[in-house]
Amino acid sequence: MSAPDAEPKARPTVLVLGGTTEARRVAEGLTAIGGVRVITALAGRTEAPHQPPGEVRVGGFGGPDGLARWLRDARVVAVVDATHPFAATISANAEVACARVGVPRIALVRPAWEPGPQDLWHRVPDTAAAAAILPTLGRRAFLTVGITDLMPFAALRGMTFVVRAASRPVAALPFPAEIIVARGPFRLEDERRLLASRRIEVVVTKASGGSATAPKLAAAREHGLPVVMIERPPPPSGPTVATVEDAVRWALDRAARLGH
Ligand code: NAP
């Protein structure tokens, strides 16, 4: 995909690698302050995603080479990698591409969730391990692992599933399930009601962190339900920040230094 048109009087361009609530808030913060051109890149997995302010670009760049080319052509002065903690490929691509073309990059890494004394968490390394442990914990499972990671659960027998997805799946699921299409942020009272009305016995989630999807954990705790917690891949290497505000401040600082 080609680089965006140059502006007549160019403001420094910041690329936000997005797809998360935090990325949208970074774009909101940068555009509210002004003085920079903000382009948010989305993978294009979600139907009708919440649009961040500024410009939006949808679809892959074509690996690290494509991203490096795009950064150069668009004269990007700073990259904020605010992607999902499980979107490890785009983060690795950003690391390589930014290093190659000399564009500074920061990763906004959400703090991980931590269990309290009442939580019944079972930490597992991946979805295959989650599927392996699941029948020992309950027969009715609430799966919130992303629509592309359901295959390992297809081999399980004697289980019923409720699957929550951010958008309606384009293909049939690999097993029969009730599908709930909903996007966070979720409210505790709704999560409580969902677990009770579906008679859920076990919750499966990625260790995504962040407040938007955390209420399911509080609801599981209240119901005394076990949670299978799929661990994150290692975070991107290089500098990181933990808050939207710090990411905005960093990008504005880079834009002020490198944009002119
Ligand atoms: P990924 O495995 O890191 O990326 C795969 C490819 O998708 C990348 O190589 C890139 O294609 C493209 N891509 C990903 N994010 C992009 C972005 N922000 N802008 C432009 N292109 C992007 O990520 P994923 O396949 O999207 O997701 C991996 C896991 O993360 C899933 O299991 C999912 O549950 C979770 N997740 C992702 C998102 C998201 O918005 N990405 C949101 C919620 C959850 P090119 O190599 O062609 O550039």
Side-chain angles (χ1 to χ4, degrees), residues 11 53 69 94 139 190 237:
R11 292 170 294 164
R69 233 181 349 261
R139 293 278 150 192
D190 296 332
S237 62

Short mmCIF file of all heavy atoms in Angstrom, two decimals, residues 11 53 69 94 139 190 237:
data_model
loop_
_atom_site.label_atom_id
_atom_site.label_comp_id
_atom_site.label_asym_id
_atom_site.label_seq_id
_atom_site.Cartn_x
_atom_site.Cartn_y
_atom_site.Cartn_z
N ARG A 11 3.43 18.75 8.83
CA ARG A 11 3.60 18.58 10.26
C ARG A 11 4.34 17.26 10.44
O ARG A 11 4.20 16.36 9.60
CB ARG A 11 2.22 18.46 10.93
CG ARG A 11 1.40 19.72 10.92
CD ARG A 11 -0.03 19.43 11.37
NE ARG A 11 -0.72 18.57 10.41
CZ ARG A 11 -1.85 17.92 10.67
NH1 ARG A 11 -2.42 18.00 11.84
NH2 ARG A 11 -2.42 17.17 9.74
N PRO A 53 -9.27 9.39 16.11
CA PRO A 53 -9.13 10.65 15.39
C PRO A 53 -7.81 10.66 14.62
O PRO A 53 -6.92 9.87 14.90
CB PRO A 53 -9.14 11.70 16.49
CG PRO A 53 -8.72 10.99 17.72
CD PRO A 53 -9.13 9.56 17.57
N ARG A 69 9.81 0.67 4.32
CA ARG A 69 9.60 1.51 3.14
C ARG A 69 8.53 2.56 3.41
O ARG A 69 8.68 3.72 3.09
CB ARG A 69 9.15 0.61 1.96
CG ARG A 69 9.98 0.78 0.74
CD ARG A 69 9.53 -0.08 -0.42
NE ARG A 69 8.56 -1.11 -0.18
CZ ARG A 69 8.85 -2.40 -0.01
NH1 ARG A 69 10.10 -2.81 -0.04
NH2 ARG A 69 7.90 -3.28 0.19
N ALA A 94 7.97 -3.93 13.65
CA ALA A 94 8.22 -2.51 13.93
C ALA A 94 9.63 -2.30 14.47
O ALA A 94 10.31 -1.34 14.11
CB ALA A 94 7.19 -1.99 14.93
N ARG A 139 -17.12 -27.98 32.69
CA ARG A 139 -17.69 -28.51 31.44
C ARG A 139 -18.31 -27.41 30.58
O ARG A 139 -18.57 -27.63 29.40
CB ARG A 139 -18.78 -29.56 31.77
CG ARG A 139 -18.23 -30.80 32.40
CD ARG A 139 -17.68 -31.75 31.34
NE ARG A 139 -16.58 -32.54 31.87
CZ ARG A 139 -15.76 -33.27 31.12
NH1 ARG A 139 -15.89 -33.32 29.82
NH2 ARG A 139 -14.80 -33.96 31.69
N ASP A 190 -22.56 -6.63 33.95
CA ASP A 190 -22.89 -7.41 32.74
C ASP A 190 -22.12 -8.73 32.72
O ASP A 190 -22.66 -9.77 32.31
CB ASP A 190 -22.57 -6.61 31.48
CG ASP A 190 -23.42 -5.36 31.38
OD1 ASP A 190 -24.56 -5.38 31.92
OD2 ASP A 190 -22.97 -4.36 30.78
N SER A 237 11.25 -5.71 22.50
CA SER A 237 12.47 -5.19 23.14
C SER A 237 12.55 -3.68 22.88
O SER A 237 11.83 -3.15 22.04
CB SER A 237 13.70 -5.91 22.61
OG SER A 237 13.80 -5.66 21.24
#
